Amino acid sequence: MLAAAILLLALPLLVADRLRRLSWFEAALAWVVRVTLVGLFFGFILPDAWEHAGAWSLLTAALGALVPTLAERAGLAEGRVEGVNLLVGQAGLLLHAGFDGMAIATSPGFSAMAVSVLVHQLPVGFAVVGMQPRGALLGVLAMSIATTVGYLVGHEWLAGMAVLPLGLFQAFAGGSLLHFVGHRHAPAA
């Protein structure tokens, strides 16, 4: 299952360049990025953050979405703000990838949890390619490593970590991903 998850995550690297030649692909990729990241936020990141941090996760997610906007309005260089925002969002995706590895390790065979991890790997791979086309290989490699680490040692790592800060970080990083989606990858109408 781990190999299948990594293969599905990496598959967009192999096909994205060919697909970019199609006139409709860029718009479709923008939608895939938007839907995937919003789906990850509401389907996985926020519920997990809620489990660890309760109602504080909502406030922290809102801050994650608003802080970059406030920084831009305060006159900070937009490129710098977006770069930091992207970095925080990608750190959240790496944390999520580690949890995916843990879910695969603890799910027997083709259980609902293991299949749900596999199903969302392909759109996540396309989201990584769409967010940072030039850094997609590094992003997919980092997520593959995080998934593998989660698979191998996730339980031991999580047992030693305080859950409140983990939940708050997940919520903040998820909020920063929502800002990124709304700001940079808004599909054309």
Side-chain angles (χ1 to χ4, degrees):
M1 288 296 248
L2 177 63
I6 291 172
L7 179 64
L8 287 169
L9 185 63
L11 186 61
L13 289 172
L14 303 174
V15 299
D17 282 338
R18 285 193 179 114
L19 292 175
R20 284 186 199 281
R21 296 180 194 140
L22 302 173
S23 60
W24 52 266
F25 181 72
E26 289 298 323
L29 183 59
W31 276 104
V32 167
V33 168
R34 178 177 245 186
V35 169
T36 299
L37 293 180
V38 169
L40 279 172
F41 177 76
F42 286 108
F44 296 96
I45 295 170
L46 189 58
D48 196 53
W50 180 274
E51 183 179 318
H52 296 307
W56 287 106
S57 60
L58 297 176
L59 176 64
T60 309
L63 285 173
L66 290 175
V67 166
T69 302
L70 296 174
E72 290 165 358
R73 289 187 181 162
L76 296 176
E78 185 174 325
R80 183 176 296 157
V81 171
E82 284 304 308
V84 169
N85 186 45
L86 183 60
L87 184 63
V88 170
Q90 287 174 330
L93 284 176
L94 289 175
L95 183 63
H96 179 82
F99 287 135
D100 284 347
M102 265 194 306
I104 294 168
T106 59
S107 300
F110 284 96
S111 68
M113 176 60 79
V115 170
S116 69
V117 169
L118 290 179
V119 166
H120 84 271
Q121 291 298 84
L122 189 62
V124 168
F126 274 113
V128 171
V129 169
M131 285 169 55
Q132 284 290 80
R134 291 179 295 204
L137 177 61
L138 182 60
V140 167
L141 181 61
M143 290 187 69
S144 298
I145 291 169
T147 303
T148 303
V149 168
Y151 182 85
L152 296 174
V153 298
H155 284 292
E156 292 82 12
W157 174 73
L158 191 58
M161 181 175 244
V163 294
L164 179 64
L166 176 66
L168 294 175
F169 174 75
Q170 279 184 284
F172 188 85
S176 72
L177 283 174
L178 288 183
H179 170 84
F180 178 82
V181 167
H183 185 26
R184 185 153 174 213
H185 282 281

